[in-house]
């Protein structure tokens, strides 16, 4: 039975490329493994796969009866449904340690770095397996994507070093230009319905027993969102009405390096406490805030504790 | 603030030596770190530390306000008290993935091998740090201890290979003789009160919402336990009376490669189901059963699910 290698719900570039790379690595270690994703590729992930000649992973949503390798998450709310009815054999992740548990021993590679791709490069080296050119390019893009061209505070020296090595293997001379091209596609909002923008990169968290949804839209310049912003706030409100205590949508300005956060909450003072600021008209600017994982989830969890 | 490196409750040889080695490794990676243990050394762990000139870790029982590196467990019931009031930065473990979660990204090295020591040797190599001679000897003994001289089904090729490498670094010519000497001390029951034997290597598990305690006593020959067995059964009964659904004590015969399991349970049929056998007079022989982790916990969890 092939091991299903799969990332989180609403798959992003890192989840998609990590699934492809870990499936390749496990196969070359002698196991049968296939890449999967819980949904279709985002436009930036599709650009990356097309650029490096890789096929999109098969869609999988249920773990029942399957052997599983988790990438880019260890949160039950993010993994395949019925994870307890499958068998988790591997976890490769760069987030906080979530609530996945196993009855069996397993192999885990979890590092506090900016992208799963950085860990996967180290895994290839550890096992003495050559990284295929196309996969090197895909991992390179995933790191540039997750670290927002090294600008995110989640970016570490290990991420930068991995990008240098991967660019050589992939034969990419100007990785910054490639990264900008990808982020332009990622940040493109023309003709995309507000609902799609809202849920393109959206995760639910359990904070002190409350359901908290946090989405993020990254654009090169926040003015690109001016027209769609009222519709986005309506989406945040209806997401809140859908059984959540708090919903936040980060509108991240990559060049200005900060985020406007749209907030609808049963108790907005918790959000104000988390960021030491004021919410006015369901909105709050947080200077320097680029990373949900590092700059939003930890202070929110603290405020809800 | 120094990182507290600490293993599970009722520390065994692996938890003690892993704490010492990981504290050394983190220090050499430029962090401040100290080895700790949740209780005093077992006789076999003390033998190992004396043999290789290492100091026993300081006793710690509470994580409040501390930075923590967990070794040899990721189960909340096994870690320092108030773990949620400390900050877990590292996990090095070879067990199933437990219920520890973190609000922060972290570094985890978890492999399905016989001993944490095997993973730690690979970590030293990965970071290009030389393993000190004494620590090599201690890790060597931990692996021989956890794998019962390679006889346990938990033993992998990686464990055997690590032992070979560590024996060279430690200057141990006959590691089997050293292992036998250690296991004789570990299995010595002369003059040890039944209560101490009962809890020397005892762990509580949450199985389907029920508290299940499982202890293990390993001896070279089961007849060594003949005299103390009635007193051990009384200890199992009083442990059960102490709020547990099921208590099992594995009396493991290293040379015969099997275990007599003493059982007191509100529903012994679950145990019978787990091992496909019969409990008579609170006892059951399970041929080939050497490993709580690999051969007892998984079928028990399945039976309780």
């Amino acid at each position: 039975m092939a091991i299903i290698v799969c990332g989180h719900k609403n798959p992003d570039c890192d989840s998609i490329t990590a699934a492809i790379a870990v499936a390749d690595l496990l196969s070359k270690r002698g196991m049968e493994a296939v890449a999967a994703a819980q949904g279709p590729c985002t436009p930036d992930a599709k650009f990356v796969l097309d650029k490096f000649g890789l096929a999109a992973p098969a869609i999988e949503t249920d773990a029942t009866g399957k052997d599983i390798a988790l990438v880019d998450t260890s949160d039950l709310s993010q993994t395949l449904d019925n994870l307890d009815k499958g068998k988790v054999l591997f976890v490769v992740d760069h987030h906080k340690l979530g609530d996945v548990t196993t009855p069996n021993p397993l192999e885990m590679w979890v590092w506090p770095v900016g992208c799963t791709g950085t860990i996967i490069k180290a895994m290839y080296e550890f096992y003495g397996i050559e990284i295929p050119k196309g996969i090197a390019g895909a991992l390179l893009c995933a790191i540039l994507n997750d670290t927002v061209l090294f600008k995110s505070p989640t970016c570490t020296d290990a991420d930068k070093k991995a990008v240098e090595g991967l660019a050589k293997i992939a034969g990419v001379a100007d990785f910054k230009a490639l990264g900008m091209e990808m982020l332009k596609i990622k940040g493109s909002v023309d003709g995309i319905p507000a609902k799609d923008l809202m849920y393109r990169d959206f995760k639910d968290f359990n904070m002190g027993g409350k359901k908290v949804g946090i989405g993020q839209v990254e654009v090169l310049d926040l003015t690109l969102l001016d027209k769609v912003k009222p519709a986005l706030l309506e989406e945040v409100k209806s997401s809140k009405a859908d059984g959540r205590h708090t919903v936040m949508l980060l509108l991240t300005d990559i060049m200005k390096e900060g985020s406007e956060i749209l907030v609808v909450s049963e108790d907005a003072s918790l959000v104000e406490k988390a960021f030491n600021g004021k919410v006015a008209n369901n909105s709050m600017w947080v200077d320097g805030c680029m990373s949900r994982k590092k700059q939003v989830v930890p202070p929110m969890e603290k405020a809800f504790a």
Side-chain angles (χ1 to χ4, degrees), chain A:
Chain A
M1 184 172 58
I3 299 164
I4 306 297
V5 187
C6 193
H8 53 71
K9 296 196 196 302
N10 298 312
D12 60 3
C13 189
D14 191 20
S15 265
I16 297 279
T17 57
I20 292 170
V22 169
D24 175 71
L25 179 60
L26 294 181
S27 301
K28 286 170 182 167
R29 282 170 64 188
M31 291 163 257
E32 206 188 327
V34 292
Q38 294 190 64
C41 289
T42 53
D44 52 314
K46 190 174 177 326
F47 163 80
V48 171
L49 298 191
D50 288 348
K51 178 95 188 168
F52 294 101
L54 299 169
I59 305 288
E60 281 278 359
T61 58
D62 197 295
T64 304
K66 294 169 189 146
D67 285 345
I68 304 292
L70 296 179
V71 294
D72 203 26
T73 186
S74 62
D75 277 313
L76 275 177
S77 63
Q78 293 298 320
T79 60
L80 291 160
D81 296 336
N82 296 310
L83 194 74
D84 58 331
K85 299 199 177 86
K87 186 175 185 184
V88 177
L89 297 174
F90 296 88
V91 177
V92 185
D93 189 24
H94 68 119
H95 296 89
K96 69 194 182 74
L97 177 56
D99 52 1
V100 167
T101 61
T102 68
N104 52 277
L106 74 170
E107 180 175 330
M108 295 179 72
W109 289 75
V110 178
W111 287 4
V113 293
C115 179
T116 312
T118 301
I119 308 167
I120 297 170
K121 177 175 186 284
M123 291 171 71
Y124 271 104
E125 285 161 9
F126 184 85
Y127 287 107
I129 294 166
E130 211 177 313
I131 308 179
K133 196 171 167 175
I135 285 178
L139 294 177
L140 164 74
C141 286
I143 301 172
L144 294 173
N145 201 316
D146 263 18
T147 66
V148 196
L149 300 177
F150 301 160
K151 285 185 181 192
S152 168
T154 59
C155 185
T156 66
D157 286 343
D159 296 302
K160 293 178 188 169
K161 218 176 138 192
V163 160
E164 273 173 38
L166 290 165
K168 266 182 213 153
I169 299 167
V172 171
D174 187 349
F175 66 77
K176 279 189 184 164
L178 174 62
M180 279 297 279
E181 198 182 346
M182 170 183 64
L183 290 182
K184 257 183 210 161
I185 290 163
K186 187 180 185 183
S188 168
V189 295
D190 287 350
I192 301 176
K195 189 165 193 151
D196 291 5
L197 288 175
M198 172 79 197
Y199 291 105
R200 201 159 64 172
D201 179 12
F202 183 88
K203 291 184 185 176
D204 277 318
F205 299 86
N206 179 337
M207 295 189 179
K210 312 287 185 194
K211 191 171 179 184
V212 176
I214 309 178
Q216 185 168 25
V217 178
E218 289 164 303
V219 286
L220 290 175
D221 180 343
L222 215 55
T223 59
L224 292 165
L225 292 171
D226 281 350
K227 269 190 205 161
V228 76
K229 212 184 285 177
L232 287 174
L233 183 56
E234 289 311 307
E235 290 298 337
V236 174
K237 282 178 182 168
S238 83
S239 176
K240 155 79 178 64
D242 201 17
R244 295 183 175 89
H245 177 279
T246 298
V247 177
M248 299 162 71
L249 182 63
L250 279 62
L251 310 177
T252 301
D253 188 315
I254 291 173
M255 300 317 285
K256 270 205 206 97
E257 302 191 19
S259 295
E260 179 180 352
I261 307 182
L262 302 183
V263 182
V264 181
S265 174
E266 279 173 36
D267 182 1
S269 76
L270 290 167
V271 180
E272 297 185 327
K273 186 178 154 198
F275 297 100
N276 196 23
K278 279 280 158 204
V279 175
N281 300 320
N282 300 102
S283 166
M284 180 185 215
W285 170 262
V286 183
D287 215 44
C289 179
M290 309 278 286
S291 162
R292 174 174 50 200
K293 182 179 87 168
K294 200 149 182 171
Q295 296 170 296
V296 178
V297 172
M300 286 290 289
E301 291 209 320
K302 219 172 158 184
F304 274 76

